[in-house]
Amino acid sequence: MNLKGRDFLTLKDYSKEEILYLLDLAEAFKEKKKRGIPTDTEHGKNIALIFEKTSTRTRCAFEVAAHDLGISTTYLEPASSQIGKKESIADTARVLARMYEGIEYRGFGQNIVEELAAYSSVPVWNGLTNEDHPTQMLADMLTIREHFGRLEGLRLVYLGDARYNMGNSYMITCAKLGMHFVACAPESYFPDPKLVAECEDMATLSGGTITLTENVTVGTRNADIICTDVWVSMGEPDDVWEERIKSLSPYKVTQEIMDNAGEKAVFLHCLPSFHDLKTEIGKKIFEKYGINEMEVTDEVFESDRSLVFPEAENRMHTIKAVIAATLGISVPGIL
Ligand code: CP
Ligand code: NVA
């Protein structure tokens, strides 16, 4: 498998075999890290990390992964760079590609990361856009595979705003990997029909299925994986909160939903999550709307069936695999 020079913008661009290869590579890196075996063979290489939105996991995962490979990083945020205000994406791409071996981008439209990639002569990695979050998918799939020992044939149910990055990405990933994807949401929160059609074509080839339902009981029955995301994403205006709370409250992940799914079901969340009142936004929403949990109850979040912290750790191992594979790094003893 040779992924050298490839961008990583969406899993739509990757075959099932390539995605599984990245998971195998991540697993091998994880094993080395756990055993304390160094993998820092790439001293002298540099990558740029552009963040137009905030981040804890993705930024830390890229920085630690790069460091573990011996690669240096430069963190760029809008306030401290010319991106967008004084310099176009096309010019930024051509400048950074002269200094760096790879560029990570987190920001708004998928068209922006695509433009960056079109003008960059080095690999571009999507660290989240409004439409897609492909590095998160690798972490989630690794976590699921570690737990169930397989991916094909599993039923993954996503509750909440299925039109946005997490809902889209789960649908794409399940369609690629022969999994059964269910979006459980009000109809107005179903994914874009064009993307659904694309994913249905992919699912036909892989043996997966795509289901969209408003019915929580039917949708979550026999699920292997129950997942959700915040009701309001980064970059969205504050005035959507009221409508989201009203429409998405019936889709909050509760113990009842986990029980309906069945004993084997696990819970995933990309994080950050509003499951208690320990956040600034959580407190503000409580004061205004009187709710102390949003997309998931604290009970489910803190339960044994919640894999959210292994999932967060796997961001780093999987991002390391993406960097290594697309930069063509061969680490002794790894694939
Ligand atoms: N899950 C995720 O992307 O987290 P951050 O926003 O903290 O990077
Ligand atoms: N949908 C969320 C995901 C955060 C990782 C957002 O875009 O803010």
Side-chain angles (χ1 to χ4, degrees):
M1 188 69 68
N2 183 2
L3 303 179
K4 187 174 179 186
R6 291 271 294 274
D7 297 312
F8 189 79
L9 307 182
T10 169
L11 288 185
K12 280 199 266 180
D13 299 339
Y14 278 72
S15 69
K16 177 179 180 180
E17 291 68 32
E18 288 168 341
I19 297 168
L20 295 178
Y21 166 74
L22 288 170
L23 297 185
D24 291 344
L25 191 54
E27 211 165 60
F29 273 122
K30 185 170 180 175
E31 162 78 7
K32 281 218 173 208
K33 176 103 178 170
K34 298 285 175 199
R35 288 166 54 202
I37 301 168
T39 52
D40 58 336
T41 53
E42 303 305 304
H43 292 282
K45 290 198 171 135
N46 295 279
I47 62 172
L49 309 177
I50 305 172
F51 280 83
E52 300 210 85
K53 290 177 177 170
T54 53
S55 168
T56 296
R57 276 146 293 275
T58 310
R59 176 182 176 183
C60 295
F62 268 98
E63 293 208 10
V64 173
H67 185 263
D68 284 354
L69 293 167
I71 298 172
S72 296
T73 56
T74 304
Y75 176 70
L76 290 152
E77 56 176 335
S80 63
S81 73
Q82 315 284 22
I83 299 168
K85 296 179 298 289
K86 282 176 68 181
E87 194 152 32
S88 67
I89 291 293
D91 292 357
T92 304
R94 287 175 288 180
V95 170
L96 295 180
R98 298 240 164 195
M99 300 182 202
Y100 294 92
E101 271 74 27
I103 305 167
E104 179 276 353
Y105 174 85
R106 162 171 288 199
F108 296 89
Q110 183 75 8
N111 60 317
I112 301 174
V113 78
E114 280 167 7
E115 187 178 357
L116 197 61
Y119 283 91
S120 165
S121 55
V122 301
V124 170
W125 308 299
N126 179 358
L128 177 145
T129 58
N130 295 345
E131 293 90 349
D132 214 321
H133 198 4
T135 62
Q136 179 73 49
M137 287 304 109
L138 293 183
D140 286 32
M141 294 306 127
L142 181 60
T143 311
I144 294 168
R145 200 173 72 171
E146 285 171 343
H147 183 84
F148 290 100
R150 68 194 170 100
L151 292 167
E152 218 171 73
L154 294 178
R155 183 176 166 88
L156 182 149
V157 183
Y158 174 84
L159 294 102
D161 185 354
R163 308 164 303 179
Y164 221 71
N165 42 29
M166 287 302 295
N168 291 344
S169 307
Y170 278 128
M171 183 166 67
I172 294 166
T173 310
C174 291
K176 282 275 177 184
L177 298 181
M179 297 167 73
H180 304 295
F181 172 78
V182 181
C184 195
E187 198 177 338
S188 55
Y189 288 84
F190 283 175
D192 177 3
K194 211 170 133 241
L195 182 62
V196 175
E198 252 183 275
C199 289
E200 275 168 347
D201 287 347
M202 296 189 293
T204 305
L205 294 176
S206 71
T209 54
I210 310 287
T211 306
L212 312 179
T213 179
E214 290 195 303
N215 188 316
V216 176
T217 312
V218 173
T220 59
R221 193 175 291 146
N222 291 326
D224 297 295
I225 305 109
I226 296 278
C227 41
T228 187
D229 184 21
V230 289
W231 289 341
V232 178
S233 287
M234 289 182 276
E236 294 199 279
D238 278 349
D239 61 17
V240 300
W241 271 111
E242 193 165 328
E243 204 286 316
R244 295 289 163 82
I245 291 169
K246 195 165 140 266
S247 301
L248 297 177
S249 285
Y251 298 87
K252 176 202 302 260
V253 178
T254 59
Q255 192 53 49
E256 200 186 337
I257 284 180
M258 295 305 293
D259 292 343
N260 183 54
E263 257 173 35
K264 63 182 187 318
V266 296
F267 173 72
L268 291 183
H269 191 311
C270 61
L271 307 182
S273 161
F274 296 118
H275 59 96
D276 58 23
L277 293 181
K278 293 178 188 159
T279 65
E280 216 175 275
I281 292 176
K283 280 185 201 133
K284 274 194 195 144
I285 295 296
F286 175 71
E287 280 156 23
K288 200 161 174 196
Y289 302 101
I291 53 168
N292 55 9
E293 303 159 327
M294 288 190 245
E295 71 277 4
V296 57
T297 63
D298 200 44
E299 185 184 14
V300 171
F301 186 92
E302 296 292 354
S303 72
D304 289 348
R305 296 158 82 180
S306 167
L307 300 181
V308 297
F309 296 113
E311 178 188 5
E313 176 189 331
N314 283 338
R315 296 298 309 285
M316 195 279 287
H317 305 299
T318 46
I319 281 173
K320 194 183 287 176
V322 171
I323 297 174
T326 54
L327 296 191
I329 295 169
S330 68
V331 180
I334 290 190
L335 298 177

